[in-house]
């Protein structure tokens, strides 16, 4: 029996026995105590489908290879991710303790126990071998209750499973960059029905044996998924047809049906009149003050496909609400009829604060900016302003709406003002960082993110461009900089072959000459120089805000960096040298552990109202008919 098993067991026991003798460093999670409120009757509520349960290759404690889905379908499943040596009393030990309580309680309810299976999967396969998991499980299993302790062959095999459940796990490194054997992760336990759909996700605050058993009973009364329920939680942040891990041969779709993508309208004007914690007062133009009527009209226009030349393309098709109001699936945007756009779709979160708009900063007001994509031949493709105005004038469902909002009909001015009004409400903050830094809540930010913030404002010098003020933070200096990304793309020689994916896990190398025969040559991109004609502005692009940045991959004006870790690594190397490189960009000398901490900080910038804004978007009318 390995030493690490005893460490994990000791950590678990400390969560139960030792806390009577010594005060815990942090308050114990609700799962350790009795519920302070009575439970609702089973089946008096519904558990809508959140998403499809992920699959992947696992090893049983008997070292037998299986698919995770092999252990689903015949019973309701509770799936938890742990690692055996975890010492956080409100982490893995909590999950195992709650499942242990469930197994003990169900010994007295054999009919219910026969319909439930517990799965505990390690995310540390290097230490948690099948033998290790067998020993670990032997200390908690009660009787013949169906509780499986699982692991994987290696980290590469595990990663697709973690991705499928959006379970973010990060290794902790010491000051020398050595792995400490501990992990940073958020505790989640997944309730999965017999159709292999996730029906609930429990975190530290909601994981309790009594509530879980109540939910299991609710599922068993009627195991059929609730129809036409709004999407909730993290499923709102993903594409309806999620292509994550499409590059792998065992890819399985996790599509979310349109009937489950319903939302709830929000009072958007409140996010403008009283911005969330961490944002300053929202600037509003004197000639276009916000009103609810303008916002409602702009919202309708934003999701209306008829604003494109061929009635197929809305603003939201490039600025997808559940993808950070950007596009996670496209490196650069694609307009009507599949026409290529040379730049990435920027996020619209907090765009009302931006002083420079578009990647090159060529516009300075939202009212003017909206006409760029409406008239661009490769975006929405309209031939003229008049064409758009006339189309809206003849659409019966717009009758009286402009008059209500502006006391006059649709014009170039009022259409721009309406769309700008909606975009000015997409303000999102009150992130874990904001609650920690501005709200002075000491427990709001993880230790890794706190270390990342120290780097952000110190060694990494990120605040040179992504500024933080005393009472608010927009994380942008509202200026343009040359990082070398545009220079490299313009000056590098194209490879003779490019790798093209034609199916899940299937790639072919194609000659560039063949690709040129079926695709338009990508135009060069010189940044703000194209506007100013000043050679000093070559490859200069605006500094984006970092708020909600974890939701808007890929990154940079051309979408060339796929992850936040790649972005930090790019700046760590000092960008790409060229004669116009910003003097603020220099090699940083960050260790691997420091890069991980900086990424953890960036991931802590997601606003608390993201779900509300996405849900409101789902409730918006989609104009796709006359």
């Amino acid at each position: 029996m390995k030493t690490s098993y005893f460490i994990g067991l000791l950590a678990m026991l400390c969560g139960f026995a030792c806390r009577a003798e010594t005060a815990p460093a942090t308050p114990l999670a609700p799962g350790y105590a009795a519920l302070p409120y009575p439970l609702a009757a089973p089946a008096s509520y519904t558990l809508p489908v959140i998403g499809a349960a992920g699959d992947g290759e696992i090893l049983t404690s008997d070292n037998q290879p299986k698919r995770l889905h092999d252990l689903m379908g015949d019973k309701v499943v509770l799936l938890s991710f742990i690692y055996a040596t975890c010492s956080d009393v409100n982490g893995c030990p909590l999950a195992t303790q709650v499942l242990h309580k469930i197994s003990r309680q169900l010994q007295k309810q054999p009919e219910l126990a026969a319909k439930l299976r517990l799965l505990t999967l390690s995310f540390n396969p290097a230490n948690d071998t099948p033998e290790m998991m067998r020993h670990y499980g032997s200390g908690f299993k009660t009787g013949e209750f169906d509780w499986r302790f699982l692991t994987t062959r290696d980290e590469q095999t595990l990663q697709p499973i973690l991705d499928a459940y959006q379970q973010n796990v990060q290794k902790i490194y010491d000051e020398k960059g050595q792995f400490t054997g501990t992990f940073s992760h958020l505790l989640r336990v997944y309730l999965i029905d017999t159709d292999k759909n996730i029906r609930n996700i429990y975190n530290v605050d909601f994981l309790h044996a009594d509530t879980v058993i109540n939910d299991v009973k609710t599922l068993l009364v009627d195991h059929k998924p609730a129809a036409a329920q709004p999407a909730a939680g993290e499923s709102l942040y993903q594409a309806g047809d999620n292509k994550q891990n499409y590059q792998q041969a065992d890819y399985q779709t996790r599509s979310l049906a349109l009937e489950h993508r319903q939302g709830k309208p929000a009072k958007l004007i409140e996010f403008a009149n009283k911005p969330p914690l961490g944002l300053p007062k929202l600037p509003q133009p004197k000639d276009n003050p916000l009103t609810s009527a303008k916002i409602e009209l702009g919202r309708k226009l934003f999701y209306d496909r008829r604003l494109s030349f061929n009635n197929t393309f809305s603003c939201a098709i490039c600025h997808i609400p559940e993808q950070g109001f950007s596009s996670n699936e496209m490196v650069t945007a694609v307009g009507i009829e599949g026409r290529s756009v040379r730049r990435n779709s920027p996020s619209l979160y907090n765009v009302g604060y931006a002083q420079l708009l578009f990647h090159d900063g060529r516009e300075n007001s939202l009212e003017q900016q909206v006409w760029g994509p409406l008239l661009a031949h490769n975006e929405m493709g309209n031939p003229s302003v008049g064409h758009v105005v006339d189309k809206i004038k003849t659409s019966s469902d717009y009758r009286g709406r402009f008059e209500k909002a502006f006391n006059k009909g649709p014009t170039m001015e009022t259409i721009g003002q309406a769309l700008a009004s909606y975009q000015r409400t997409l303000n999102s903050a009150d992130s874990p960082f904001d609650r920690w830094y501005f709200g002075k809540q000491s427990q709001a930010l993880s230790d890794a993110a706190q270390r990342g913030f120290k780097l952000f404002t110190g060694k990494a010098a990120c605040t040179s461009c992504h500024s933080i003020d005393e009472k608010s933070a927009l994380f942008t200096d509202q200026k343009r900089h040359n990082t070398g990304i545009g220079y490299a793309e313009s000056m590098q020689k194209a490879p003779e072959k490019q790798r093209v994916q034609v199916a899940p896990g299937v790639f072919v190398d194609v000659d560039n000459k063949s690709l040129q025969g079926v695709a338009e040559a990508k135009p060069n991109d010189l940044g703000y120089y194209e506007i100013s004609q000043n050679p000093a502005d070559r490859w200069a692009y605006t500094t984006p805000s970092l708020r909600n940045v974890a939701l808007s991959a890929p990154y940079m004006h051309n979408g060339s960096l796929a992850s936040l870790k790649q972005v930090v690594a790019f700046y760590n190397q000092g960008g790409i040298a060229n004669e116009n490189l910003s003097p603020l960009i220099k090699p940083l000398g960050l260790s691997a552990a420091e890069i991980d901490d900086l990424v953890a900080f960036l991931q802590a910038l997601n606003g608390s109202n993201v779900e509300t804004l996405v849900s409101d978007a789902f409730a918006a009318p989609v104009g796709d008919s006359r």
Side-chain angles (χ1 to χ4, degrees), residues 246-251 499-509:
Y246 188 76
Q247 73 276 12
Q248 297 175 4
D250 61 351
Y251 163 80
R499 204 172 194 215
V500 177
Q501 183 169 8
V502 295
V506 180
F507 298 82
V508 293
D509 292 325

Side-chain angles (χ1 to χ4, degrees), residues 50-73:
I50 295 175
D55 194 15
E57 299 176 9
I58 52 93
L59 293 174
T60 68
S61 58
D62 295 322
N63 202 23
Q64 297 300 309
K66 284 184 178 293
R67 303 286 301 179
L68 191 55
H69 273 189
D70 292 343
L71 302 177
M72 300 177 184

Side-chain angles (χ1 to χ4, degrees), residues 433-444:
F433 163 76
D434 294 309
R435 294 191 290 274
W436 174 74
Y437 188 75
F438 298 115
K440 308 304 179 184
Q441 298 178 26
S442 60
Q443 300 299 317

Side-chain angles (χ1 to χ4, degrees), residues 127-146:
N127 179 77
D128 296 345
T129 62
E131 180 186 8
M132 173 68 206
M133 293 305 288
R134 183 168 66 253
H135 289 312
Y136 183 81
S138 65
F140 304 105
K141 290 186 65 173
T142 304
E144 297 302 318
F145 190 77
D146 192 358

